[in-house]
Structure formats: structure tokens, C-alpha cells
Amino acid sequence: MEKEFPFVPFRYVVFFVMWTLFLLQTAVGDPRSQTVNITCGHQLEHNSSVFVPNFVATMENISEQMRTSGFGAAVTGSGPDINYGLAQCYGDLSLLDCVLCYAEARTVLPKCFPYNGGRIYLDGCFMRSENYDFFEEYTGPSDSAMCGNTTRKSLSFGESVRQALTRAVEAATSSNGYATTQMAVPGTVKESAYVLADCWRTLNASSCRSCLDNASASILGCLPWSEGRALNTGCFMRYSDKDFLNRAPENGSSRGTTVVIVVTVVSSVVVFVLALAIGVYILKRKNIEKKRRGSNDAEKLVHTLNDSSLNFKYSAIEKATGAFNEANKLGQGGFGTVYKGVLPDGREIAVKRLFFNNRHRAADFYNEVNMISSVEHKNLVRLLGCSCSGPESLLIYEYLPNRSLDRFIFDPIRGKTLNWEKRHEIIVGTAEGLVYLHENSNIRIIHRDIKASNILLDSRLRAKIADFGLARSFQDDKSHISTAIAGTLGYMAPEYLAHGQLTEKVDVYSFGVLVLEIVTGRQNNGSKTSEYMDSVVITTWKHFRSGTIEELYDPNLMLHNHHDSNIKSDILRVVHIGLLCTQELQSIRPTMSKTLEMLTKQEQLPAPTNPPFVDERTMELNDTCEDPFYALRGVPSSIATISDSSFCPR
Ligand SMILES: *[C@@H]1O[C@H](CO)[C@@H](O)[C@H](O)[C@H]1NC(C)=O
Ligand SMILES: *[C@@H]1O[C@H](CO)[C@@H](O)[C@H](O)[C@H]1NC(C)=O
Ligand SMILES: *[C@@H]1O[C@H](CO)[C@@H](O)[C@H](O)[C@H]1NC(C)=O
Ligand SMILES: *[C@@H]1O[C@H](CO)[C@@H](O)[C@H](O)[C@H]1NC(C)=O
Ligand SMILES: *[C@@H]1O[C@H](CO)[C@@H](O)[C@H](O)[C@H]1NC(C)=O
Ligand SMILES: *[C@@H]1O[C@H](CO)[C@@H](O)[C@H](O)[C@H]1NC(C)=O
């Protein structure tokens, strides 16, 4: 600096440098995360228990790359459900804006489920996912232009657009596929045509050229309208009469060039003054922007959040988890990946990084967190807060060192840690937590996702229910359905699966499955029709009826208590209660408080009736229920809309 402007007084230089640093640090441009168009493929995924994890892993992998380079491509899996993904931010977005735009893209693209492919064009970025290698494709039948039709422009604007497009194609072809141009409209005071051109970075120069040639030709068809966007297989191009381009620094990236054609340059203006003028201009724009944004909820939310003890700074959490280091990963749940973190004060936390975040819903999300965090009970995992307004949605929970129940009961070695007394305590604790959720006077919460991996164990192996309340926030989100299908089918009550009928009895059913798993040490894998025959529920039911139930008990239970017949009758009683909870007819399943009473008091139990999918007389699988997946696939919009006739008639 000083060498360049030796004539400028030192304090101005200091001022200027500090100001530039300030702008660099705080400059958040416009992520332009509005969706322009989303197109889904026509091919259904092949096996959702393979497809969903592959898709999620690809999104996560790309997410890492986007943070550092504004571009990402990844491949996960093999076979028919292999997942190829590509995402790219257009060259004028800062990396922070890029993360925001990508967060939006990956929130919206799962709408294509259960179709296995799709592409989404936003104004700031692009994302595509397929089950084949499309990385070098640059043209295709869905290439199209979208014209904005609000304002009709003059012929001379059209001429400027034409020139700006030509220059952009030239500039982009000779510099890594990205360029922006601005062309003043002759005969007007301040009017210009603004153009952005960007090829996906997987293309070579000649493919990029062909794509942009086609794109510029097709958006010329939008004239005389003020806006045109080309959505091509290998590139994105846009012209506008509005200055939509970000002039933010490009984080040292040397990719692309920006051609700014200044028509009238007043002669020898001191460079420093010009820089200052630009600075003032940017600052003004930022202020205008701020005022505009200030009127909406997001700004208010930021104020609320800053004053709230529930709010954690995104950067603080990033630090606590070692930037979401793989080594700190605790596991993957239905809604996101969980990491362990340590706060500066030494407190250990568990951070859930939600897959499907949507910053436009930050306000709702915060309200939801606020509400959930008010629900406190010894058998519920405590929600400490969230990072609601950062680039991603994070939930912060207390950390439980023993992690989840499934790690114990389905593991023959760790299973030894849990004798019958402990298991009984866990069953009762879970029931108490559920009673609290169902009957809490302020908010009634139906958990919907009770399963062994959602029961966490504290240092003394006491049960704490995780993830409650989340399903509520995501109830309109189809992604929840897809994760449910992927992971939790075996725990879902038949009336919820078939008709989306949601009552507390849905949790009672899942609780019953869990109880039977805890006793048998077997996992209920009800993800396929044939497996319903072998599901823990059906198997237990059969053995219970034929008086051979003891054969099913987890060997770890009998280890120490071989001779104790009291314990045997205790276990039998709990199995009996489990079967009452998994009865097909929800009306005769007990409530959670009734269940708790039966577990803790020695009262007479009614005889259980049959669990779902079994014909009472023949003891055989009800074969009108061909494939529950089939019914789900047929109606992708929502589980709740599946018609009665498409599922098992009763
Ligand atoms: C789906 O894939 C899983 C894992 O490979 C497999 O266990 C399951 O049988 C498959 N389901 C179907 C319906 O093909
Ligand atoms: C992302 O995927 C690429 C291959 O597609 C792989 O080489 C890389 O290790 C993955 N990165 C992460 C963080 O999973
Ligand atoms: C560029 O890529 C396309 C598509 O993959 C290919 O057909 C073409 O031969 C490549 N051109 C050059 C010069 O490498
Ligand atoms: C997206 O583009 C496709 C064709 O390219 C078109 O059929 C579809 O209507 C567009 N969708 C929207 C929402 O504009
Ligand atoms: C412009 O587009 C809007 C929706 O985008 C549509 O409602 C309107 O009819 C269109 N007007 C013209 C003149 O095409
Ligand atoms: C661009 O390419 C598409 C797909 O190949 C083609 O249908 C369209 O006519 C081309 N447009 C122009 C203007 O060349």
C-alpha cells in the first residue's frame, strides 16, 4: 500500500487498510439462493435403504468441498443406487454465500425423492444428482431458457445484451469457464446490461464453449424482456438489466475474469480516491440492503438470538467440534449427523448437524427449539440450544458418554453390561419419559421415532429419550418420510404407515417393539415383506402363544440369574406388556401411563391380541399386504395421503 501511494498521509492509509479489512470480513454479498427451476428424473430409486444413505453421503461430501472451493463432485456407493453428485456456486459468490446457497439447494433437491435424480438451478448455484456419471455432459433435451417478463426493454438494451453475451462467452472460454460482463447501454445515463456465464468445472474448454454458445443463443430469445436465464446441462447463463452480480472479493481465487467496460472514464482521477468512492458505494449498498432486510423477521430473529442463552454462535460450535471433524463423529440419526464437541469452558456437548436445513425457516426453527428446550424430565435428553441463524442448522444437546441403547442390546459383548435389572430400569425409564411427553400439560409431543438408537444412556446407564419434538418441526418435510422409510420402518405402527394416522398409540407401538428387542437382543428388521414373518414382534408372538418364549430370551439376561424363577416371571410379564403394546388394533393398545402402571404394579394383564400383518386364524402373513414400499412409492407426496385401497385391506 505505502509503496503504491507514498503521497498519501499515513493515517489515511491505516484508515483505508482497516476499512478494507472490515469490508472483507463482513462483506456478505447476496447468496442469490432463490430457486429458478428444479427438474426431477423419471427413474425411481431402486432400494431406498441403499439410496438414501448414498444420497446423504454424497451431499455431505460435496458440502465439505463447497466450503473450500465453491465446487464439489462426489460418488457414493455402487450398483443401481450409486449416487453421483455435483454442485457449483457461480464464480461471483463468496465462499460464505456459497455455503448458504448450497444449503438451500440441498434442502430442496430431496423433493425429487423417490426419483433417483434431479437438478436444481438457483440464482447463485447449481446442484445435480444422478445414478450415472454425468460429469462431462453439457447438452441435453431439458436445456431451456427462462425469461423474465416484467419489463420490456429498448432495442439498444438488446444490442448491449448481445455484445455482453458474446464477450462473456469469449472471456469464460479463455478463463476456466466463468465470466461476468457489464455493458453500458448507449444513449442512457446509467443503464447497463449485466451478464454472468458459468460452466461446471468438470467440463473441458470445448464442451464449455458449446454449452455457452447454445445458452447465449437461447437467452437471446428472451429479448426484449429485461431478464433471461439459460438452464443448460453443462452451464448457466443470465442477463439482466439489474446489477445482480456480487463484487465481493473472490477469496484469492484466480478463476475467471470480470470485464467491466467503463464508458466514460473521467481522466486522471487519483486511484485512491476511486477506491474510496467504491468503498463508500459498497457501504451505502450494504446499508440499503440492511434496511431492506431489517423489515423482515430474519433481522428481528438475529436480535432475539443474540440476546438468547439458547443461541450458540456457529463459529463457536465449529471450533468445539474441530470443524466437524470425522474423528468427533458420534453417529448418524434420522435428521442429521451427530458430533461430539467441547466448549471453551470444558463442557462436553453433542451437536446435531441437520441434513435438511433451511435458513428461511430459522425463525420457526428457533421457536421450536425454544419450546422443546422447555421440556425437561430425567428421562429426556436435554436440548441446550441451537445455532439457528448460521449457515447451517445445528442443535446442541448434553453429551451422554454411553451413547445409545442399540450399541448394547444388539452386541453380544457389550450386552453383558446390561443385566435384567438394568434392562428393566431402562424400559421403565423410557416409559416414564414417554408418559411425560404425552401428558405434559404445556405441549403434547408424539415422538414418532422411538427406537433403540434414540434411547441414550447416561453414565449410570439410565435411559434418556433423544430427538423428541424434532418430528414436529419437520412434519411437513418429506425428507422426514424418506429417512423414516430408510431406517425405522420396523418400528412404525401399521395405522401410521398405511394411513398416516397419528396418535400417541404410534409411540406405544414403537415402545412395544423396543421392549421386545431389549428382552430378546434381536433387532426388528421389518423393512421387507418376507421379513415381517421373521420380525421380532411376530416371532415373539408365536413363541408366546406356544409357550416357548424362553427360547427367545437374550442369553445375556440368563447369565447371572439362571436360578431365579422370580426373574423369569418378571421377564415374561414384560414380554406380555410388549405384546399388548404392539397389538394391531390401536384402540386396544394401552396408553403409555397405563403401560407404566402395568410395568410397575403387579396387576392382572389382559390377553394380547395379534400384532399386525398376521392372520389370526392361519397364523400366516396377511398376503394382501404385498409390499409396503410399493404403496409408499405409488404416492410420493406424503404418507398421510396413501389411500386405503392401496394398502392392506383389513
Ligand atoms: C435393499 O438393500 C439392502 C442392503 O443391501 C438389502 O439388505 C435389502 O434386502 C434390499 N431390499 C430390497 C427390497 O431389495
Ligand atoms: C468424497 O468423495 C471422493 C470420491 O468421490 C473421495 O475421494 C473423498 O475421500 C470423499 N471425501 C469425504 C470427506 O468423504
Ligand atoms: C471434451 O469433452 C468431451 C465430452 O467428454 C469430449 O467428447 C471431447 O473429446 C473433449 N475435448 C477435448 C479437446 O478434450
Ligand atoms: C423447469 O424446466 C422444465 C424444462 O426444462 C419445465 O418443463 C418446467 O416446467 C420448469 N419448472 C418450473 C417450475 O418452471
Ligand atoms: C409474467 O409472468 C407471470 C408469472 O411469472 C404471469 O403471471 C404473467 O401472466 C406473465 N405476463 C406476461 C405478459 O407474460
Ligand atoms: C441448444 O441445445 C438444445 C439441446 O441440444 C437444442 O434443443 C436447442 O435447439 C439449442 N438451442 C440453440 C439456440 O441452439
Side-chain angles (χ1 to χ4, degrees), residues 145-276:
M146 283 197 45
C147 306
N149 64 1
T150 44
T151 322
R152 194 179 270 277
K153 305 294 290 188
S154 64
L155 278 179
S156 55
F157 174 77
E159 194 46 47
S160 297
V161 168
R162 216 175 292 274
Q163 286 180 33
L165 286 173
T166 310
R167 278 173 185 271
V169 173
E170 293 303 333
T173 316
S174 60
S175 64
N176 291 321
Y178 158 69
T180 60
T181 56
Q182 175 186 345
M183 183 72 72
V185 178
T188 62
V189 186
K190 284 186 290 193
E191 210 179 314
S192 289
Y194 301 87
V195 167
L196 180 145
D198 211 339
C199 290
W200 315 152
R201 293 193 212 168
T202 46
L203 299 185
N204 61 26
S206 59
S207 302
C208 175
R209 171 92 208 196
S210 316
C211 189
L212 292 177
D213 278 340
N214 178 295
S216 61
S218 66
I219 47 176
L220 277 176
C222 286
L223 289 170
W225 296 115
S226 60
E227 285 275 353
R229 293 176 178 87
L231 314 178
N232 279 17
T233 306
C235 58
F236 174 83
M237 210 164 178
R238 175 179 176 189
Y239 81 77
S240 175
D241 63 337
K242 285 189 261 330
D243 184 2
F244 62 93
L245 300 168
N246 283 307
R247 301 254 150 57
E250 269 183 54
N251 302 65
S253 144
S254 61
R255 191 173 164 263
T257 55
T258 299
V259 186
V260 180
I261 297 129
V262 183
V263 180
T264 52
V265 177
V266 185
S267 56
S268 56
V269 179
V270 182
V271 180
F272 179 65
V273 174
L274 193 64
L276 260 177

Side-chain angles (χ1 to χ4, degrees), residues 460-519:
R460 288 171 51 198
L461 298 170
R462 285 173 305 200
K464 285 178 175 254
I465 302 173
D467 262 8
F468 58 89
L470 271 192
R472 238 179 84 106
S473 337
F474 287 80
Q475 56 192 338
D476 300 324
D477 191 338
K478 188 148 49 78
S479 59
H480 168 60
I481 306 294
S482 60
T483 48
I485 290 168
T488 328
L489 200 54
Y491 290 90
M492 280 163 92
E495 75 277 7
Y496 184 43
L497 193 56
H499 310 296
Q501 189 186 342
L502 183 66
T503 64
E504 281 87 349
K505 296 292 181 69
V506 165
D507 283 348
V508 173
Y509 181 89
S510 314
F511 175 78
V513 176
L514 178 72
V515 165
L516 300 181
E517 287 183 334
I518 293 177
V519 172

